[in-house]
Amino acid sequence: MNRDTWFTVQKIDEMTYAISEYGHWEKVHSFLLVGEEKAVLIDTGLGIDNIKRITDQLTHLPVEVITTHVHVDHIGSHGEFKKIFVHEGDKEWLVNGIEGLSIEQIRKDINREITLPKPATFNPDTYHPFQGEPTGLLEDEDIIHLGNRELIIYHTPGHSPGHICIYDATNGYLFTGDLLYAQTPIYAFYPSTNPVDLVNSLEKISNIENINVVFGSHNTLGLHPKILEEVKFAVKYLKEQKLASFGTGIHKFKGFSIQF
């Protein structure tokens, strides 16, 4: 583990790093996957500090950004990178701004419950989420080759229309973004979310084979793949009880919870 003034870098293996922002209440993780030919950065964090400073230290290969979804805490340093990819379902938000969130609310949320010294470059009063055209669009079952490792894209809407998960088939790592993580509820209660889609997406990832570790984008770093068995139970329960709809509240399962 290596602590920067803002970021915490944790080595998952010799070619994979978690870049975490534990000084903020959202406890966001971004992930750098290094290949032989290029590297992929899964999300770019909050934008309170410049994550490219960290990726420059970890690899000299060209870095392409894959966006799990277009929410503020996942696109913070997008403007620092030349190649940015997003699913078509979230392209509109990347270009024109995130639906249903005022800039006042965004600035309030980004600046609360910060426990580390804020970088001098960070000013919550002028903070503005990245907006811009992506380099390209991702589709379900796209395969990205890094030379010596293969990434498979899974479209998993619900938390956002264009949410994706990324499966590193070479190492058995599943990066689930905000579809699945521990400790705090998975959110699907905003007007821009879709509870039915979220449950279907959870079912989709629970059927991926040969997963060794699940990496959500918040809180606990690295979850045992047995959590996917509980996901299967949760999907069955939520469907049978017809609970996948707005206003049904928080549903708790072993290792995770969901709020509709």
Side-chain angles (χ1 to χ4, degrees):
M1 184 185 296
N2 178 30
R3 291 191 183 277
D4 175 77
T5 51
W6 178 255
F7 298 100
T8 299
V9 178
Q10 295 168 88
K11 184 186 287 188
I12 295 167
D13 62 40
E14 289 302 316
M15 306 294 278
T16 312
Y17 302 87
I19 306 170
S20 308
E21 298 179 72
Y22 290 119
H24 190 270
W25 63 277
E26 294 200 78
K27 307 287 189 290
V28 180
H29 307 298
S30 303
F31 299 94
L32 182 67
L33 283 52
V34 182
E36 287 180 343
E37 298 170 359
K38 63 182 179 181
V40 156
L41 179 62
I42 300 175
D43 295 335
T44 62
L46 289 153
I48 289 175
D49 204 346
N50 182 2
I51 203 170
K52 189 173 185 294
R53 184 180 76 250
I54 303 299
T55 59
D56 284 348
Q57 295 171 23
L58 297 174
T59 183
H60 298 296
L61 291 170
V63 176
E64 298 181 1
V65 172
I66 293 179
T67 315
T68 60
H69 62 296
V70 178
H71 282 164
V72 174
D73 49 321
H74 299 263
I75 62 169
S77 288
H78 268 39
E80 301 295 330
F81 296 89
K82 292 179 181 178
K83 291 190 176 182
I84 299 164
F85 297 87
V86 67
H87 188 275
E88 186 173 9
D90 276 12
K91 179 190 173 184
E92 178 72 18
W93 293 1
L94 192 70
V95 175
N96 296 313
I98 300 160
E99 180 183 316
L101 275 178
S102 68
I103 190 62
E104 291 79 17
Q105 186 62 48
I106 287 170
R107 287 171 178 169
K108 180 180 177 183
D109 287 342
I110 203 77
N111 195 41
R112 68 181 173 93
E113 297 175 50
I114 294 177
T115 57
L116 286 176
K118 301 172 191 176
T121 52
F122 173 63
N123 182 352
D125 297 328
T126 57
Y127 177 93
H128 202 286
F130 172 84
Q131 286 180 230
E133 287 282 345
T135 307
L137 300 177
L138 299 167
E139 295 183 5
D140 190 46
E141 298 186 0
D142 274 354
I143 297 176
I144 298 170
H145 298 280
L146 303 185
N148 60 333
R149 66 199 299 186
E150 183 178 275
L151 311 181
I152 303 172
I153 303 299
Y154 288 92
H155 181 214
T156 51
H159 183 70
S160 78
H163 190 287
I164 61 167
C165 293
I166 299 101
Y167 177 51
D168 178 349
T170 306
N171 295 292
Y173 301 153
L174 180 64
F175 299 92
T176 53
D178 282 6
L179 176 63
L180 180 63
Y181 51 77
Q183 296 184 351
T184 54
I186 296 154
Y187 291 158
F189 58 83
Y190 298 126
S192 58
T193 63
N194 187 311
V196 172
D197 282 353
L198 185 104
V199 172
N200 289 335
S201 291
L202 284 168
E203 183 173 31
K204 184 174 185 173
I205 66 163
S206 74
N207 290 317
I208 300 172
E209 297 181 348
N210 302 316
I211 294 172
N212 294 321
V213 191
V214 175
F215 291 102
S217 287
H218 297 274
N219 306 324
T220 305
L221 179 65
L223 304 171
H224 193 282
K226 68 182 180 182
I227 197 171
L228 296 172
E229 293 303 314
E230 184 67 7
V231 167
K232 289 181 180 180
F233 168 80
V235 166
K236 186 171 183 287
Y237 173 78
L238 292 168
K239 286 187 173 183
E240 286 179 351
Q241 301 299 316
K242 297 180 170 57
L243 292 169
S245 60
F246 290 129
T248 61
I250 297 176
H251 308 284
K252 296 182 179 180
F253 303 98
K254 292 178 183 176
F256 69 98
S257 60
I258 306 170
Q259 185 172 357
F260 293 137

